[in-house]
Amino acid sequence: MPSRRELANAVRALSMDAVQKAMSGHPGMPMGMADIAEVLWNDHLKHNPANPRWWDRDRFVLSNGHGSMLHYSLLHLSGYALPMEEIKRFRQLHSMTPGHPEYSDTPGIETTTGPLGQGLGNGVGMAIAEKVLRGRFNREGHAIIDHFTYVFTGDGCLMEGISHEACSLAGTLKLGKLICFYDDNNISIDGEVGGWFTDDTPRRFEAYGWHVIRNVDGHDAGAVNVAIRDARTETDRPTLIQCKTIIGWGAPNKQGTESVHGAALGEDEVARARETIGWPHPPFDIPDDIYAAWDARKNGEARESDWGERFEVYRKAHPDLAAELERCMKGEFPKDWNQYRDEFIRDTDKKAENIASRKASQNALEGFGPKLPELIGGSADLTGSNLTRWSGSRALSAEVDDGNYIYFGVREFAMAAVCNGIALHGGFIPYCATFLIFSEYARNALRMAALMRIRNIFVFTHDSIGLGEDGPTHQAVEQAATMRLMPNMSVWRPCDAVESVVAWERALQRTAGPTSLLFSRQGLPHQKRTPEQIDAIRRGGYVLRDCDGELEAIIIATGSEVGLAVEAATELEAKGVRTRVVSMPSTDTFDAQPESYRESVLPSSVRSRVSVEAGVTGYWYKYLGFEGKAIGIDTFGESAPCEEVFAHFGFGVENVVRTVEEVLAANASTGIGAAAES
């Protein structure tokens, strides 16, 4: 039977060989944390390589994701569908072993990591998901949900501000099933961290309310094992295990220095490392006895089989709960969802309320929430402004395990990353909220949600200069446009209560990516629509107001500016200018429609187009062309009452009418056709 050190050395060898072959990567962390990983994966981690999506598996997150070869080595050795050929293709085009762990690219990867600290935030979200599922579904004698979340972190993760946000929240919620390993090796890219990171990290985590196990020798398997056992028995607090390690352990000339952090060791150092650790095997050659000792498939299948038998007993004792748990974990909607959803949208239209779209968003939660108990969310200390709490909300706390509302505090970045973790865990549809301007604090977590194509709903209220008196520091100007530029981020900026409900419905049903919902602070007028127009909202852009005869001009508007566009079109019509108003709450959704539909809404023959949105103008020229003109704001805002700020920046009927007339006149003077059959 191979020794623990030999098993860990297999990880070291694969890691340094793969990085060397690629001539790119980070060998230091995998070599330094190999002993810790070996103990965790072989003695404690509950998983089944044959089914990486088993509901009650432990979650393992590599927050210091640059050390990805550690994770790939563990997956390969323990029996996941990650063959040696893919290990050899580390960091190569379309391989299953990209430079940083990518969710969905590799079996067993729970989240995409690399931007330091976010994996830790995701881990907090996963632990929250486990806590809530346990509280909702477990019954006496039936511990159907009972797993841990393990997170590897390094000095870099703990320097990032998100670690403070996320770990403070984790301590407050007493997430006892969260265990983090701190790779305390005193090295980052720039060298020894003493010049820029002298925090007393254990005391910091104790101040958060964590259980801290100090100064564990990360190269002593017995000490690591004792620490993990201690952590697992602490049920009322998350645990930080401070592991003292040597980065690049085993590379005799480079270990313990920054030179081993982010570059291949070099052929000579790899050879010397083989001698130092006693690994005589050629590159990528793993002896059969090592494979046999690492193989977790038999044990994993037995564990899942035992869990399956217990679940069937649970199903007989609690059939309704079992069915609901299955539905939520599979991400399925209730059987009567479509009918319920459509009736709710029609009822919203019948009410014809003139309300702020943030209030319409809360109404959507009131309508959809009772039907979707898997909805879980909250706000970054702006609940009363974002209007994200509804009558069925129950606050999650240290004492309340089955809540569905999270008071995140002023932690926008952690909030978004935590909700990413909740989405990745499964069983929930998470949403979180702040002012649109403060999406900037959370931006990289939004990008990670889009990159992973996970369903997470970001609610951003106070979406423009309509914020008013708080002024330019709080007034979103460029945020909507930059979000629209993010690949796979769907963005909705609805103009009234009906569009707001449809936006929520689209976000809920979008399973292949996140959605940002942008809502107004100020009241918005209800727009009259036919049933066909209501259905067309789902297409992202549609004709809201049309004209008779030959179409001369098109006004494209979103959100709070749609009402203005309709008023302007009415005045233009009175002047004999045949004008169409296109409401475009979601440009990405509109762009995904068939060309024939897009042409029917924005006929290419009509070149006289004006866009109206209280934000930067550059984005809109993809629809306007060189012949159109955008009404918007290409400066920062001003502090004044909402109506005065809008008037100051030209958001009035008179200016919209004048701009349309100017575009028509300019195009007529150059001979550009501006009319088409509507």
Side-chain angles (χ1 to χ4, degrees):
M1 178 70 180
S3 67
R4 283 195 178 278
R5 179 53 55 79
E6 287 175 307
L7 296 179
N9 284 343
V11 173
R12 293 188 170 97
L14 281 178
S15 297
M16 66 182 182
D17 288 343
V19 172
Q20 187 62 39
K21 187 174 188 298
M23 291 301 294
S24 173
H26 299 76
M29 187 279 272
M31 297 177 75
M33 294 195 80
D35 295 302
I36 304 166
E38 186 278 321
V39 174
L40 175 64
W41 278 61
N42 284 327
D43 284 20
H44 299 280
L45 193 71
K46 181 175 68 172
H47 64 125
N48 180 8
N51 181 13
R53 294 293 174 234
W54 170 29
W55 300 344
D56 201 42
R57 69 189 181 279
D58 290 338
R59 271 63 171 179
F60 175 76
V61 175
L62 193 75
S63 188
N64 42 353
H66 55 270
S68 56
M69 266 312 305
L70 173 73
H71 206 167
Y72 300 146
S73 299
L74 295 167
L75 294 170
H76 170 75
L77 291 167
S78 58
Y80 284 78
L82 185 63
M84 183 64 81
E85 286 306 309
E86 293 296 330
I87 300 294
K88 294 178 181 178
R89 295 184 64 234
F90 177 56
R91 287 191 163 220
Q92 304 309 301
L93 185 63
H94 302 317
S95 77
M96 295 171 65
T97 50
H100 290 81
E102 301 279 353
Y103 177 69
S104 294
D105 281 6
T106 315
I109 298 296
E110 301 284 1
T111 179
T112 298
T113 57
L116 293 176
Q118 283 201 64
L120 182 51
N122 298 161
V124 172
M126 293 173 187
I128 287 174
E130 192 275 344
K131 172 185 173 81
V132 177
L133 286 176
R134 178 163 29 96
R136 289 187 185 180
F137 292 102
N138 284 4
R139 293 296 182 268
E140 186 176 353
H142 299 282
I144 295 304
I145 301 297
D146 183 20
H147 54 265
F148 286 87
T149 300
Y150 298 100
V151 182
F152 277 14
T153 67
D155 289 303
C157 289
L158 299 185
M159 285 185 234
E160 289 284 0
I162 188 175
S163 72
H164 298 262
E165 297 180 23
C167 294
S168 171
L169 181 63
T172 298
L173 294 177
K174 296 185 177 180
L175 301 177
K177 305 297 282 293
L178 174 64
I179 299 174
C180 296
F181 297 81
Y182 168 29
D183 182 28
D184 187 5
N185 60 35
N186 200 43
I187 294 292
S188 66
I189 292 175
D190 281 350
E192 294 187 10
V193 301
W196 50 87
F197 186 50
T198 58
D199 302 13
D200 188 335
T201 300
R203 287 183 65 188
R204 172 185 146 197
F205 274 76
E206 287 170 348
Y208 294 152
W210 285 53
H211 172 220
V212 176
I213 304 173
R214 296 170 177 256
N215 298 320
V216 175
D217 183 348
H219 302 298
D220 181 337
V224 172
N225 198 23
V226 169
I228 296 174
R229 291 184 184 280
D230 184 6
R232 287 169 59 94
T233 61
E234 175 58 63
T235 59
D236 291 333
R237 294 177 292 171
T239 296
L240 178 77
I241 303 176
Q242 179 193 26
C243 297
K244 294 290 188 177
T245 65
I246 298 172
I247 190 171
W249 188 94
N253 299 309
K254 294 188 176 183
Q255 68 177 23
T257 70
E258 67 272 20
S259 63
V260 78
H261 172 88
L265 297 178
E267 295 291 350
D268 290 344
E269 187 71 0
V270 168
R272 292 190 180 98
R274 277 185 152 72
E275 295 175 1
T276 300
I277 67 176
W279 187 264
H281 315 291
F284 304 107
D285 182 16
I286 305 296
D288 290 343
D289 62 336
I290 298 288
Y291 268 130
W294 266 104
D295 193 344
R297 287 172 292 188
K298 184 176 180 180
N299 185 47
E301 288 173 5
R303 281 186 161 186
E304 184 174 358
S305 177
D306 174 69
W307 178 86
E309 292 174 2
R310 289 189 289 110
F311 186 80
E312 291 307 315
V313 175
Y314 173 76
R315 189 197 303 277
K316 291 178 181 178
H318 305 283
D320 292 342
L321 283 175
E324 184 69 358
L325 175 59
E326 285 183 304
R327 183 188 70 77
C328 291
M329 291 303 295
K330 291 177 180 178
E332 298 173 347
F333 283 89
K335 291 180 179 179
D336 60 346
W337 165 253
N338 289 346
Q339 179 182 348
Y340 179 88
R341 169 203 68 194
D342 292 343
E343 288 177 355
F344 180 62
I345 294 171
R346 286 194 295 270
D347 289 344
T348 301
D349 181 59
K350 289 176 183 177
K351 290 179 182 177
E353 293 181 294
N354 298 333
I355 56 176
S357 55
R358 61 171 173 157
K359 178 60 179 176
S361 169
Q362 186 179 47
N363 292 346
L365 284 168
E366 286 286 355
F368 294 138
K371 201 69 177 174
L372 299 173
E374 61 266 40
L375 264 176
I376 183 170
S379 169
D381 202 48
L382 289 168
T383 293
S385 294
N386 299 147
L387 301 183
T388 41
R389 188 178 173 105
W390 56 286
S391 61
S393 294
R394 176 173 165 80
L396 181 69
S397 68
E399 295 76 25
V400 178
D401 289 347
D402 61 346
N404 63 356
Y405 195 81
I406 304 170
Y407 287 99
F408 284 103
V410 188
R411 301 183 179 101
E412 294 90 352
F413 193 4
M415 173 181 70
V418 164
C419 284
N420 284 346
I422 293 172
L424 289 160
H425 180 281
F428 297 98
I429 302 175
Y431 66 93
C432 56
T434 186
F435 288 176
L436 178 56
I437 194 68
F438 301 135
S439 66
E440 298 293 349
Y441 283 128
R443 179 57 65 103
N444 200 253
L446 271 65
R447 186 177 187 272
M448 295 297 282
L451 180 61
M452 290 188 279
R453 296 182 173 271
I454 56 176
R455 178 172 49 184
N456 194 353
I457 301 173
F458 301 104
V459 177
F460 297 119
T461 69
H462 298 60
D463 67 343
S464 73
I465 57 170
L467 186 69
E469 294 88 343
D470 279 340
T473 64
H474 283 48
Q475 291 170 0
V477 173
E478 74 276 22
Q479 282 66 35
T482 58
M483 281 188 182
R484 290 173 182 139
L485 294 173
M486 189 181 295
N488 201 44
M489 174 63 75
S490 188
V491 180
W492 286 78
R493 186 170 185 252
C495 76
D496 67 357
V498 177
E499 282 193 1
S500 297
V501 171
V502 173
W504 259 105
E505 177 254 327
R506 290 290 85 192
L508 290 167
Q509 296 196 209
R510 186 172 190 251
T511 58
T515 302
S516 290
L517 303 177
L518 317 185
F519 296 120
S520 73
R521 175 201 188 197
Q522 71 275 24
L524 304 178
H526 171 75
Q527 301 297 328
K528 294 182 179 180
R529 299 176 183 83
T530 65
E532 292 75 21
Q533 286 175 309
I534 292 175
D535 289 340
I537 296 172
R538 294 191 176 107
R539 307 189 82 160
Y542 64 101
V543 178
L544 176 62
R545 183 194 186 281
D546 215 352
C547 62
D548 296 325
E550 289 185 327
L551 178 60
E552 295 178 274
I554 299 174
I555 304 175
I556 308 168
T558 80
S560 51
E561 289 69 69
V562 170
L564 170 61
V566 170
E567 289 183 52
T570 301
E571 186 165 319
L572 284 163
E573 196 76 20
K575 290 186 170 189
V577 180
R578 293 178 293 277
T579 308
R580 168 180 290 181
V581 174
V582 171
S583 177
M584 196 176 288
S586 177
T587 59
D588 59 276
T589 304
F590 178 76
D591 291 345
Q593 300 305 309
E595 182 180 358
S596 58
Y597 177 77
R598 287 181 279 124
E599 176 68 19
S600 72
V601 175
L602 298 175
S604 54
S605 57
V606 181
R607 310 289 282 277
S608 296
R609 304 178 182 185
V610 172
S611 66
V612 189
E613 184 176 63
V616 293
T617 59
Y619 180 86
W620 288 102
Y621 285 94
K622 65 187 287 188
Y623 303 108
L624 301 174
F626 292 115
E627 300 83 12
K629 188 170 183 179
I631 298 175
I633 309 169
D634 290 317
T635 67
F636 293 113
E638 295 285 348
S639 178
C642 172
E643 296 79 8
E644 294 180 25
V645 177
F646 272 115
H648 172 75
F649 285 104
F651 289 95
V653 172
E654 181 180 349
N655 186 47
V656 177
V657 169
R658 181 171 57 249
T659 303
V660 171
E661 291 174 334
E662 289 173 355
V663 169
L664 281 166
N667 288 340
S669 68
T670 57
I672 294 174
E677 293 294 333
S678 78

